[in-house]
Amino acid sequence: MAMKDYSDEFKADAVALYESTPGATYKDIAADLGINRATLREWVLRDRERRGIAPTGLRTGGTTAARAGHPAGSGDPEMRIRQLEARVAELEASERKPATERDILRRAAKYFRRRDELVSRFQFVHDHRDTYEVKRLCQVLDVNRSSYYKWLGGAGARAARRREDQVLAEEIRRIHAGSGGTYGSPRVTAELRESGTRVNHKRVARVMRTHDIAGVRLRRRVRTTVPAPAATVVPDLFQRDFTATEPGRKYMGDITYLPLAGGEFLYLATVLDCFSRKVVGWSIADHMRTSLVADALRMAAQIRRGLDGAVFHTDHGAQYGSRAFADPCSGLGVTRSMGAVGSSADNAACESFHASLKRETLQGARDYGDPATCRRTVFAWLARYNTRRRPSTNGHLSPNEYERRHHTAKLTLAA
């Protein structure tokens, strides 16, 4: 269900995201945020009016797509090359073999630097069939003539498959670029299937590997949980079960650091729904005081139109165990749950979410740069996560789409 009462922080971040994205349109940014285009336009115009900036037309231009990958370089099977070189040396030393064999082997050496050794031999025979007899070439290279002719007969099918793979690669590059260069083969496959392309995930992985297209890999995590020395005892109501049968019943939260240039940090607190992994609340600040996590929980209450009766699970961070956080939880009708002290596994799903966020937004960089850039980058990812990203726990459906299908199924059963 869409949020009607947006926080001032959400509005400011939405305006900043639009203003800082070259070539962006109200429609594009609003789609990522899951809000109405007219609503975003009203916020932007109101902010410009406040700053004394005259209204302007829609910006032109487009965002720069992620660089397309280039075909990966060929492998180098050293063992086969050494065998060939040793055999050539033996032939030259003994001079018992015809000079033709020596010449064939010399020319064949470069073919065996490719990944598929057998196909390379067939290709060599095909490329030199006008210089040497096919029978002689097959004998020297130790391949069956019947196998070579079978390979030759499939040339048309292989060419057609290469053309199809090239078309698929272009579509994969488009999806990969749209994800900010973060999607691996499982999510790319899900996107392709949803758009109507019937394709096997192994083929997608092979084409991505061939064309050097890859998702972003994990970076080392840094622990940020600081237990309160005299925290109130809160039971673990999850017992590492991060699933739910309905949205709005079980939530989980955590804090993560956002590295800036010069060794400084911003901090992000999030609230995730266990049913769909939807991020229903978040807050970004330059501190880790209790107000950071309380603001994220209040945003979740706005989006879900209340949290009465819900369970909220966290680690044993001092912010979550404080009286200052217990009070808003009680006011919202939220029951608190906490994992064991020092056990990251007891809040693993939320920590995994933060790892994905930093992996896909930093993309190997050490920091986000300045605070404004950091806030815009993280805000854009969080908004796009709900509307477009495909968690594997949802069967590669976006959180919003996963919840929409759930509600549709319930209405169907009720009818």
Side-chain angles (χ1 to χ4, degrees):
M1 183 176 293
M3 176 172 60
K4 300 299 182 182
D5 299 323
Y6 299 91
S7 66
D8 292 338
E9 181 181 2
F10 185 94
K11 294 177 183 178
D13 285 337
V15 172
L17 176 62
Y18 173 80
E19 296 285 19
S20 64
T21 305
T25 63
Y26 291 123
K27 181 179 179 181
D28 292 338
I29 299 299
D32 278 347
L33 300 180
I35 62 177
N36 186 275
R37 171 188 174 279
T39 300
L40 175 62
R41 183 175 183 273
E42 180 184 350
W43 293 348
V44 172
L45 294 180
R46 189 181 302 166
D47 181 75
R48 289 178 178 175
E49 182 180 357
R50 180 182 59 80
R51 293 184 288 133
I53 300 176
T56 59
L58 290 176
R59 294 174 292 191
T60 60
T63 56
T64 303
R67 294 182 178 177
H70 297 285
S74 299
D76 187 10
E78 295 292 337
M79 181 61 71
R80 181 59 181 170
I81 292 174
R82 287 197 293 270
Q83 291 175 350
L84 289 173
E85 290 174 345
R87 187 171 180 183
V88 170
E90 179 184 349
L91 291 173
E92 290 178 336
S94 63
E95 294 186 354
R96 289 192 299 268
K97 296 289 184 180
T100 302
E101 290 191 10
R102 295 199 300 269
D103 190 32
I104 291 174
L105 289 172
R106 286 195 189 99
R107 297 189 182 196
K110 65 179 181 180
Y111 279 76
F112 291 98
R113 294 189 177 95
R114 302 179 183 178
R115 291 177 178 171
D116 192 328
E117 184 178 315
L118 181 60
V119 171
S120 297
R121 282 184 277 176
F122 289 155
Q123 189 65 53
F124 179 83
V125 173
H126 184 67
D127 291 346
H128 293 82
R129 67 189 186 283
D130 294 333
T131 305
Y132 308 102
E133 292 182 354
V134 171
K135 179 180 179 180
R136 189 62 168 165
L137 288 165
C138 290
Q139 286 177 341
V140 173
L141 297 178
D142 193 25
V143 297
N144 294 324
R145 272 189 295 168
S146 60
S147 298
Y148 161 70
Y149 285 119
K150 183 177 180 180
W151 172 86
L152 187 61
R158 288 196 302 276
R161 189 161 53 248
R162 283 195 295 271
R163 289 192 296 269
E164 293 171 357
D165 283 352
Q166 185 61 44
V167 172
L168 180 61
E170 292 304 317
E171 185 66 12
I172 289 173
R173 286 193 183 102
R174 182 189 64 78
I175 294 172
H176 188 257
S179 73
T182 61
Y183 277 10
S185 59
R187 290 189 173 91
V188 169
T189 302
E191 288 278 356
L192 288 168
R193 288 174 177 171
E194 186 168 288
S195 66
T197 302
R198 297 182 62 182
V199 63
N200 185 279
H201 69 94
K202 293 182 180 179
R203 184 185 176 197
V204 173
R206 173 178 58 78
V207 172
M208 291 182 68
R209 186 167 56 250
T210 301
H211 291 266
D212 197 23
I213 306 172
V216 180
R217 303 188 183 280
L218 283 168
R219 305 176 75 240
R220 183 174 62 88
R221 292 188 295 107
V222 177
R223 185 184 175 210
T224 57
T225 302
V226 180
T232 304
V233 176
V234 177
D236 183 354
L237 303 179
F238 270 37
Q239 296 297 319
R240 301 186 181 180
D241 178 9
F242 304 108
T243 62
T245 56
E246 293 283 340
R249 292 184 177 180
K250 294 171 64 177
Y251 296 95
M252 51 189 170
D254 199 4
I255 302 174
T256 191
Y257 77 105
L258 305 172
L260 305 176
E264 298 181 346
F265 300 95
L266 288 181
Y267 299 94
L268 167 69
T270 53
V271 179
L272 275 69
D273 192 307
C274 292
F275 174 74
S276 62
R277 294 297 195 269
K278 179 173 182 174
V279 53
V280 294
W282 69 82
S283 184
I284 303 174
D286 59 358
H287 61 80
M288 286 202 300
R289 294 191 292 272
T290 303
S291 59
L292 174 70
V293 296
D295 287 345
L297 189 66
R298 279 190 283 266
M299 179 180 178
Q302 285 182 316
I303 290 180
R304 288 305 198 193
R305 302 289 184 86
L307 300 176
D308 189 39
V311 177
F312 182 49
H313 183 82
T314 66
D315 58 24
H316 268 270
Q319 302 84 356
Y320 294 113
S322 66
R323 169 56 59 184
F325 183 68
D327 290 340
C329 285
S330 298
L332 293 170
V334 173
T335 300
R336 291 188 298 160
S337 169
M338 283 187 174
V341 176
S343 175
S344 60
D346 286 349
N347 203 24
C350 209
E351 295 201 15
S352 176
F353 170 81
H354 286 158
S356 296
L357 182 152
K358 287 193 277 190
R359 178 179 71 244
E360 296 183 10
T361 52
L362 285 171
Q363 298 192 20
R366 292 181 177 273
D367 57 69
Y368 292 95
D370 60 274
T373 300
C374 175
R375 177 179 284 272
R376 286 195 303 268
T377 301
V378 174
F379 175 78
W381 189 92
L382 289 170
R384 188 172 61 244
Y385 174 89
N386 285 338
T387 58
R388 298 188 179 183
R389 198 177 183 279
R390 299 172 177 273
S392 58
T393 53
N394 291 353
H396 291 116
L397 294 174
S398 70
N400 283 358
E401 177 64 15
Y402 191 70
E403 291 192 1
R404 186 192 69 79
R405 295 192 183 188
H406 174 74
H407 290 309
T408 301
K410 285 185 63 177
L411 291 175
T412 302
L413 290 174

